[in-house]
Amino acid sequence: MAASDTPFIANDIPYMERTRKFYRAQGYESDYVWAHFPTTPFIQPSKPLQESRVVAITTSMPDTELGRSNRTVYSNPIKPQPQSMYTEELSWDKKATHTNDIASFLPLEQLEALATEGFIGSVSPRFHCLPTEFSQKNTLEKDAPEILTRCQEDKVDLAILVPL
Amino acid sequence: MVVGSAMDIVKHCGVARYCYSDFPLGNPCGKPGNKVMQLAIIKQALGLFESAEAPNYTERTAHSWSEDDSWREGYAKIDDSNREELRLRGEARRAEQAANKAAGCSRSAMIAES
């Protein structure tokens, strides 16, 4: 099967266009540059889902004094699950919704339930927080490799990244 | 595997597998409080590890945010009611960025569009 054809349709929101206009309205002369790569890495899983350990990665930060002030990679145990995450600086739709239910953007509860029913093998004992960055260099050369190392330490097979 | 809204941005970047939620930014794993929907979306997303055979494989979830589509208009909206506020916000933000840079901060926070 080739990559699925799930096209952008008229009802989907043109976020890039809106963001460009929003920055210009704030007096920025240069448009935001989103990450773009000519090729996308892809490998098939080495194990079936039922035997795989899954990790969750979020762009929200821990809802702690440190998490609110220092944007860097954090790893936290999945138990006990956090009751809140710090999302205030992120670009979510603050008019239409809220982030008070962390399962709506950080799927720890769902992964735990799916491990219990045997749909996946297990959940990584830690989840990871990846800071959003203007600097793609920081993400590519510092943060992403650090999270990869931590996933390998936890013997993770599959990763779900949920960006906000 | 990415679970997210903002399809144009995720497609521009390119990801191995993408489960797309056509929801307001903030809740790609399902509506707050709707545990049935949240579980279904993550189950669908995990299924992409078995169905995808090439990069940028994308599936749209079957869930909709509401029957009323008015939420689509609000994000990063610019009109006469906020034009001046946005201009002033930009000025303040640039001053903050300059101060952070002078203080040696190598990382600055993103700008929230709402």
Side-chain angles (χ1 to χ4, degrees), chain B residues 17 29 32 43 49 79 95-96 98:
Chain B
R17 301 163 181 84
C29 300
K43 206 165 184 174
F49 282 116
D79 59 23
E96 185 188 337

Side-chain angles (χ1 to χ4, degrees), chain B residues 15-87:
Chain B
V15 297
R17 301 163 181 84
Y18 177 33
C19 186
Y20 169 57
S21 287
D22 181 22
F23 288 172
L25 301 185
N27 313 121
C29 300
K31 291 186 82 163
N34 190 332
K35 300 300 169 187
V36 173
M37 183 195 290
Q38 291 170 359
L39 188 64
I41 287 176
I42 297 306
K43 206 165 184 174
Q44 178 178 355
L46 287 164
L48 270 62
F49 282 116
E50 295 188 323
S51 53
E53 293 185 0
N56 297 306
Y57 183 86
T58 303
E59 278 187 17
R60 183 184 290 263
T61 76
H63 307 280
S64 58
W65 183 254
S66 65
E67 290 182 8
D68 174 5
D69 265 351
S70 60
W71 63 270
R72 296 178 186 279
E73 302 305 318
Y75 185 81
K77 188 171 185 175
I78 305 165
D79 59 23
D80 289 343
S81 73
N82 67 351
R83 226 176 285 278
E84 180 62 7
E85 179 199 333
L86 289 174
R87 190 186 66 76

Side-chain angles (χ1 to χ4, degrees), chain A residues 74-161:
Chain A
Y74 293 95
S75 299
N76 294 292
I78 58 167
K79 290 179 182 173
Q81 284 182 21
Q83 295 302 302
S84 62
M85 295 295 292
Y86 181 57
T87 63
E88 195 54 36
E89 290 180 3
L90 300 174
S91 294
W92 50 276
D93 191 337
K94 297 179 176 80
K95 290 175 188 159
T97 189
H98 62 79
T99 55
N100 298 337
D101 176 5
I102 71 158
S104 69
F105 63 92
L106 174 58
L108 301 178
E109 197 176 309
Q110 297 94 311
L111 291 177
E112 193 73 24
L114 292 168
T116 300
E117 74 174 62
F119 190 78
I120 58 174
S122 62
V123 187
S124 167
R126 299 185 289 179
F127 71 95
H128 307 291
C129 301
L130 169 72
T132 52
E133 282 272 5
F134 281 111
S135 165
Q136 294 177 24
K137 189 176 162 73
N138 276 343
T139 301
L140 284 170
E141 297 181 8
K142 295 178 183 171
D143 298 341
E146 179 58 35
I147 287 181
L148 175 62
T149 298
R150 296 182 193 193
C151 288
Q152 289 169 336
E153 287 169 1
D154 292 340
K155 302 192 183 322
V156 162
D157 300 300
L158 307 172
I160 295 186
L161 166 63

